[in-house]
Amino acid sequence: MYEPFPGNYVWNLSTNLALMCGGNIGEIDAACRPIREAAARGEDAGTARFFDSWLAVAQQVERNAEADEAAGRLLSAAEKYGRASTYYLTAERMQARDYAPRKAAYARGLDLFAKRVRLGRENCEFVEIPYEGASFTGLFIKAPPGPDGRPAPCLVSCNGLDSMKEQIYYAGNPAAFLKRGVSTLLIDQPGTGEALRLRGLHGVHDSERWASAALDYLLTRNDVDPARIGMFGLSLGGYYAPRAAAMEPRFALCAVMGANHNWGEMQKRRRQREGENPVPHYWDHVMWVFGKPDIDSFMAWAPNMCLDGVVERIRVPFLVTHGEGDRQIPLEYAHQSYDQAVNSPNRHLHVFRATDYEVEHCGADNGTISRDYIADWVAETFGCRVD
């Protein structure tokens, strides 16, 4: 993993995610270079400095995009608006929930994402998904019908603990699926992205609640094959997706990028300083995500986030992938999910090794290897071409 901040995994992770999401190395270096001393004080201290430095670069790239747009160079403007959006969202993601400037940065990140899609004429539809008297948002990337005229299969793609649908879009996952004839519905499920920040929808352990809502939405579309709708998740999605596939029998397959078999147990291990945190202000963040008022109530609830006795109910093809050098979630959790999925008719475990040049959590050190491997497996399982 690229580590501009020695000894500060959280800041390095965020930097690598920005690179994976299309960031420019020169722009990212300009954001990181002034704050290296601040990073040495730890993952929580100095996050306001991180915010200011990344925001300055985001604003300059946005101004550059505006100049392109004024000159009528809309495709160039779209590229720059996309990178500026990534930097705004990177700055926002690193802040505590009560850091007031994060709200404007998040809003700007969403606005510029929409500008990129519009000016770039991209294959990306903004959708609303009804959910328990409310709704959450999604992005639908449409694949064409197959050679036989049959509507394309589709994946419901959920976030992890702290990711957003825009980041997964930028990382190229939907593009990889699209090349293989598979549509994608990227969602900000409760506890993530817009659902948490703008609608106050907190995360739940029984992910089938919102996953079934996403599936119900897809069944209203005539451009999706109702018999070929799969579930995909990364990071904490390595818990959410298998849980959803186990409890919602209409899903036709399940794939995860990074297993997360017993996230509840992992919280006890984190309190003992085992495993790296994904974001600063970690304990406040998880209480915000799941709507818990204090650490004691969160820790009492966390054991619900366990797939023991759950993955046995998966009766569709199931792919588990994991990096051997994952510093957040232990490899043993990947083996637990695979070993317990005894009723899947086609279960597979793939571990990414040093020779893949991708060993970190959810491919944070590369991103393309796990993305393409999963896309191939999904396409093959759905009967799509991979050549």
Side-chain angles (χ1 to χ4, degrees):
M1 190 164 73
Y2 172 56
E3 303 199 35
F5 306 114
N8 192 327
Y9 173 85
V10 176
W11 288 34
N12 289 328
L13 175 67
S14 197
T15 302
N16 279 263
L17 291 177
L19 283 167
M20 189 188 305
C21 292
N24 177 289
I25 187 65
E27 293 161 357
I28 287 176
D29 182 64
C32 293
R33 196 171 287 267
I35 54 175
R36 285 178 178 162
E37 183 178 345
R41 297 200 296 270
E43 62 194 49
D44 292 352
T47 50
R49 288 277 310 280
F50 185 103
F51 182 89
D52 292 342
S53 191
W54 281 74
L55 207 70
V57 172
Q59 290 167 340
Q60 182 58 56
V61 175
E62 182 181 357
R63 287 191 290 269
N64 297 344
E66 289 169 345
D68 281 342
E69 185 177 8
R73 296 166 180 160
L74 302 187
L75 295 177
S76 293
E79 289 295 318
K80 293 182 179 69
Y81 280 133
R83 294 203 308 277
S85 171
T86 286
Y87 304 149
Y88 276 114
L89 296 178
T90 298
E92 188 273 349
R93 176 184 167 277
M94 287 280 285
Q95 306 309 308
R97 61 170 147 173
D98 57 358
Y99 187 68
R102 76 180 295 171
K103 295 180 180 179
Y106 182 69
R108 200 66 193 141
L110 293 189
D111 288 345
L112 296 188
F113 177 85
K115 265 198 161 185
R116 169 188 161 140
V117 169
R118 177 172 57 84
L119 295 182
R121 301 186 292 275
E122 299 190 9
N123 173 5
C124 180
E125 178 185 350
F126 296 79
V127 302
E128 288 278 340
I129 299 159
Y131 170 72
E132 298 185 358
S135 65
F136 55 85
T137 55
L139 304 171
F140 183 74
I141 296 84
K142 178 181 176 179
D148 58 358
R150 188 179 179 188
C154 186
L155 276 185
V156 176
S157 172
C158 69
N159 300 322
L161 175 69
D162 52 87
S163 52
M164 312 166 194
K165 64 186 184 305
E166 294 79 16
Q167 292 173 319
I168 298 175
Y169 180 91
Y170 284 140
N173 291 6
F177 296 133
L178 179 63
K179 287 179 180 179
R180 294 159 174 82
V182 179
S183 299
T184 306
L185 176 64
L186 297 170
I187 61 172
D188 273 346
Q189 79 268 13
T192 68
E194 290 183 78
L196 177 66
R197 289 163 173 79
L198 303 183
R199 306 191 181 195
L201 296 175
H202 295 289
V204 294
H205 79 277
D206 42 353
S207 56
E208 65 273 14
R209 288 164 54 185
W210 47 256
S212 294
L215 192 151
D216 287 339
Y217 164 77
L218 289 173
L219 292 177
T220 68
R221 303 184 63 111
N222 60 12
D223 51 5
V224 172
D225 184 348
R228 293 186 294 168
I229 299 175
M231 188 73 211
F232 168 70
L234 52 80
S235 193
L236 189 52
Y239 165 83
Y240 289 137
R243 164 87 195 200
M247 300 299 183
E248 171 51 88
R250 293 178 295 173
F251 282 116
L253 61 75
C254 179
V256 301
M257 181 188 293
N260 225 318
H261 188 86
N262 198 340
W263 192 77
E265 175 191 69
M266 194 65 218
Q267 303 320 293
K268 296 178 181 178
R269 295 166 71 165
R270 282 233 166 94
R271 295 196 81 182
Q272 298 168 357
R273 300 302 300 169
E274 179 182 342
E276 296 284 0
N277 292 335
V279 289
H281 321 288
Y282 177 78
W283 295 109
D284 183 67
H285 185 80
V286 294
M287 287 186 284
W288 179 36
V289 166
F290 294 106
K292 304 305 176 186
D294 52 57
I295 189 65
D296 290 338
S297 58
F298 168 75
M299 291 302 296
W301 169 86
N304 288 299
M305 301 280 285
C306 178
L307 293 175
D308 286 345
V310 174
V311 288
E312 290 90 336
R313 298 179 61 168
I314 294 176
R315 298 184 181 277
V316 294
F318 181 36
L319 172 66
V320 181
T321 70
H322 209 86
E324 69 173 351
D326 192 320
R327 287 184 261 178
Q328 286 188 50
I329 303 297
L331 178 57
E332 68 193 73
Y333 283 177
H335 288 284
Q336 288 176 17
S337 286
Y338 172 79
D339 290 345
Q340 293 181 26
V342 292
N343 291 309
S344 167
N346 175 18
R347 57 177 172 153
H348 186 65
L349 170 64
H350 187 84
V351 179
F352 298 103
R353 309 287 184 184
T355 51
D356 296 309
Y357 300 102
E358 182 175 305
V359 299
E360 293 280 358
H361 181 70
C362 295
D365 50 340
N366 187 318
T368 64
I369 307 302
S370 54
R371 179 196 71 193
D372 293 343
Y373 185 93
I374 292 168
D376 283 338
W377 182 88
V378 168
E380 290 166 353
T381 304
F382 275 147
C384 300
R385 295 181 62 181
V386 296
D387 57 5

